[in-house]
Amino acid sequence: MLLFLDTANVEEIKEINAWGVLSGITTNPTLIVKEGKDFKKVVKEICNIVDGPVSAEVTATDAEGMIKQGLDIATWADNVVVKCPLTEAGLQATAHLSKKDIKVNVTLCFSANQALLAARAGAYFISPFVGRLDDINQDGCALVEEIVELYHMQAIETRVLAASIRTPQQVTRCAIAGADVATLPFKVFKMLVKHPLTDAGLTQFLKDWEKVTAEQPVAAKK
Ligand code: E4P
């Protein structure tokens, strides 16, 4: 499972990118607005930093408007992916853009049937929203499992991109379910790397090392 970062914050992107584990970025209008920058400018900047797909979402609600925006967004960078919502107009726009070989990430997916429709429209990614389902007392990871199975049974190539991830446990469950990608907020990336036993173990190793180097400086260098 590839790991994407769900943000439009350039500093966060640079920090996680430096770890060597980052395969792409997802943004949405809320995340873009939060940064207070020009949409096109910030997407182009992110596309330059990250060697992988960067999703940028259309904001029109009619198919014609989404297609117009999608065609424009697709010219911003080679690695940009147009994001369309899972509505009737969104499916129409996805079908149109996909036929022109533009990669589309269909977002706001909350059911397996919606995922089937997106795949039939030619979506490159489908984004089931795990956390938002958990928020209403449903099992978001179970939806990811269902879509992965459905796509496998139907030999569908659309990639499953688990979105709206809030916890490290959801990351593990999505990976075990066979999701192709999970997009994580910065905070969850930081939580993934941390373990108190790693910190305690390293502190002890370094303490022992310092003791030896202080007592036998020459031996420690060998
Ligand atoms: C995905 O592409 C979305 O940007 C994102 O994962 C939504 O997450 P949220 O439900 O935490 O807003």
Side-chain angles (χ1 to χ4, degrees):
M1 183 175 79
L2 299 178
L3 300 174
F4 286 10
L5 181 60
D6 194 31
T7 190
N9 183 288
V10 170
E11 294 315 310
E12 291 182 354
I13 292 169
K14 284 182 181 163
E15 186 174 333
I16 304 298
N17 201 31
W19 295 4
V21 301
L22 192 61
S23 298
I25 301 291
T26 51
T27 68
N28 63 41
T30 306
L31 294 171
I32 295 284
V33 165
K34 213 169 123 194
E35 296 311 310
K37 292 184 187 171
D38 175 71
F39 181 32
K40 183 173 174 178
K41 228 168 134 185
V42 75
V43 169
K44 284 178 94 167
E45 191 181 357
I46 296 168
C47 286
N48 261 326
I49 301 169
V50 179
D51 185 18
V54 175
S55 292
E57 190 163 340
V58 298
T59 48
T61 51
D62 63 307
E64 201 187 323
M66 287 182 196
I67 291 166
K68 200 167 158 230
Q69 288 181 344
L71 289 172
D72 181 35
I73 290 170
T75 65
W76 295 353
D78 287 345
N79 53 338
V80 79
V81 172
V82 176
K83 219 176 180 191
C84 290
L86 218 158
T87 58
E88 293 178 23
L91 288 173
Q92 212 178 309
T94 299
H96 187 96
L97 296 168
S98 299
K99 275 189 198 108
K100 291 194 178 301
D101 284 334
I102 292 171
K103 288 179 181 160
V104 180
N105 175 358
V106 177
T107 189
L108 291 165
C109 172
F110 294 96
S111 78
N113 285 333
Q114 285 185 321
L116 180 59
L117 287 169
R120 290 300 168 227
Y124 186 79
F125 290 118
I126 182 68
S127 290
F129 274 40
V130 172
R132 292 193 193 188
L133 278 170
D134 286 2
D135 289 346
I136 59 159
N137 203 23
Q138 292 188 23
D139 187 351
C141 291
L143 173 63
V144 173
E145 289 164 16
E146 205 178 4
I147 297 171
V148 168
E149 194 183 347
L150 186 155
Y151 279 7
H152 177 70
M153 295 301 292
Q154 297 294 326
I156 286 169
E157 286 181 0
T158 302
R159 291 139 185 88
V160 181
L161 191 166
S164 184
I165 298 287
R166 310 262 165 81
T167 68
Q169 289 77 15
Q170 289 168 338
V171 178
T172 310
R173 273 191 72 193
C174 289
I176 291 170
D180 298 287
V181 184
T183 188
L184 325 177
F186 181 74
K187 195 179 83 181
V188 176
F189 257 106
K190 297 287 253 188
M191 287 163 91
L192 288 190
V193 76
K194 270 280 177 202
H195 197 288
L197 291 180
T198 305
D199 294 343
L202 185 59
T203 305
Q204 187 62 49
F205 286 159
L206 296 178
K207 219 169 114 194
D208 291 343
W209 187 251
E210 264 170 37
K211 218 166 75 189
V212 169
T213 48
E215 284 164 9
Q216 311 162 330
V218 180
K221 276 185 194 147
K222 274 186 188 167

